[in-house]
Amino acid sequence: FLATSGEPVYKVMANQTLCKYANLTCDPETFNTTNVTKLCPGAQCTFAFYGGESLYHKYIFIFQLANAFVFLWLVNFAIALGQCTLAGAFASYYWASRKPADIPLWPLFSSFGRAIRYHTGSLAFGALILAIVQLIRVILEYLDHKLKGTQNSFTRFLLCCLKCCFWCLEKFLKFINRNAYIMIAIYGKNFCTSAKEAFFLLMRNVVRVAVLDKVTDFLLFLGKILVAGGVGVLAFFFFTQRIPIFAQEAPTLNYYWVPLLTVIIGSYLVAHGFFSVYAMCVDTLFLCFCK
């Protein structure tokens, strides 16, 4: 797509090396009426490439890189907004002195309104930091793809170390950002202050954090597997027409593994989206408890 985007560009191809018109753009419709053929015998106006020589075509790679960066920034901002909204809703329940009298009427909408009105800059800043690291990882993957045919072992080793380091850095920033958004939703402070308080609070309870994260991740993973497995079993009996009630509605398939795998993968992704709400609830209540 990139190679065939834009208008066709034609350039002068001359056999004479001293021809001053060589490699200059030309128009094939009016080329024969110019003096180029007289000054440079044998010169032809041939197709060079698709694109152009405008500012856009010269810096198209930079623009594509900026487009990818903005895409990563917006995705991370949307995730940050959702996490901050959920954290505010769960924190409003935890810190309510009298339940349910002190809980807002619409806790989720109230938390979303606070996040949009007061914390947009903090969420955008946290998403910006994460987007920069992710863009660097994309560039490293691009360089790794380009260097696969080389025999320089040291360069490959250095690139592999950089990819590993930035992968760890991305995981660490996601963990810090997640807890920083919780502190932002609770106290309304800026991103740097919230990240600092969340980090030192977690370090003072590092054993509890490790145990809670592992237990929570294991239980939520079991829940996702249970949902995906249950839906997969039902889909298997449905597609094989072994459920008498839906025997007439089930389609006759010669090969049912493709729709069955699609249903299992789709159900796992849906379960992952729902269980991520419970994971945010556990993290929020745990920070509130530690505080």
Side-chain angles (χ1 to χ4, degrees):
F1 173 76
L2 297 176
T4 58
S5 61
E7 298 294 332
V9 177
Y10 297 87
K11 288 190 175 183
V12 178
M13 301 297 293
N15 296 327
Q16 300 178 6
T17 57
L18 298 178
C19 180
K20 63 179 181 180
Y21 296 100
N23 294 325
L24 295 180
T25 57
C26 57
D27 188 357
E29 297 181 358
T30 61
F31 180 73
N32 294 327
T33 61
T34 61
N35 295 328
V36 179
T37 55
K38 297 179 181 179
L39 298 176
C40 300
Q44 296 179 351
C45 184
T46 59
F47 168 78
F49 54 86
Y50 280 101
E53 295 188 351
S54 63
L55 183 66
Y56 167 76
H57 294 93
K58 289 182 179 179
Y59 300 99
I60 187 171
F61 180 75
I62 304 298
F63 292 148
Q64 291 174 347
L65 205 61
N67 190 22
F69 172 71
V70 173
F71 171 76
L72 293 174
W73 193 1
L74 292 177
V75 169
N76 288 307
F77 177 78
I79 295 175
L81 182 60
Q83 291 178 346
C84 187
T85 300
L86 290 174
F90 295 132
S92 64
Y93 166 81
Y94 183 88
W95 294 109
S97 300
R98 296 174 301 169
K99 299 178 178 61
D102 293 338
I103 300 176
L105 183 60
W106 304 98
L108 194 62
F109 287 102
S110 301
S111 179
F112 179 76
R114 290 194 302 270
I116 288 293
R117 183 176 179 181
Y118 299 109
H119 311 315
T120 305
S122 298
L123 300 180
F125 182 71
L128 173 65
I129 298 175
L130 192 56
I132 293 175
V133 176
Q134 290 176 343
L135 183 64
I136 295 175
R137 288 195 62 201
V138 171
I139 296 175
L140 291 176
E141 290 291 342
Y142 174 78
L143 294 177
D144 184 49
H145 178 73
K146 290 295 184 181
L147 295 175
K148 278 187 176 180
T150 62
Q151 302 297 328
N152 194 338
S153 301
F154 177 74
T155 305
R156 296 290 304 277
F157 172 75
L158 181 61
L159 193 60
C160 183
C161 292
L162 289 175
K163 289 169 58 178
C164 180
C165 291
F166 277 97
W167 179 83
C168 296
L169 180 60
E170 182 185 356
K171 294 297 182 182
F172 175 75
L173 287 178
K174 284 184 176 180
F175 177 77
I176 291 297
N177 285 10
R178 182 184 182 91
N179 292 280
Y181 299 148
I182 296 174
M183 301 299 289
I184 290 173
I186 297 174
Y187 294 104
K189 298 180 181 179
N190 58 54
F191 176 81
C192 295
T193 304
S194 300
K196 178 182 177 182
E197 292 182 357
F199 178 76
F200 286 110
L201 182 62
L202 293 174
M203 289 299 100
R204 291 194 299 267
N205 300 272
V206 62
V207 177
R208 293 177 177 177
V209 172
V211 173
L212 182 70
D213 283 347
K214 296 304 180 182
V215 172
T216 302
D217 292 341
F218 179 71
L219 292 179
L220 293 181
F221 177 74
L222 288 181
K224 298 172 190 176
I225 295 298
L226 180 62
V227 172
V231 174
V233 171
L234 291 177
F236 174 78
F237 284 108
F238 175 78
F239 288 126
T240 55
Q241 298 180 351
R242 297 184 182 182
I243 303 179
I245 302 177
F246 302 103
Q248 301 296 329
E249 288 78 5
T252 302
L253 301 176
N254 296 324
Y255 191 75
Y256 54 84
W257 285 108
V258 173
L260 184 61
L261 290 177
T262 304
V263 170
I264 293 175
I265 296 174
S267 61
Y268 181 85
L269 295 177
V270 173
H272 175 74
F274 276 91
F275 278 100
S276 63
V277 178
Y278 290 97
M280 196 66 196
C281 176
V282 172
D283 292 341
T284 303
L285 297 181
F286 176 72
L287 276 182
C288 293
F289 167 76
C290 292
K291 196 68 179 178

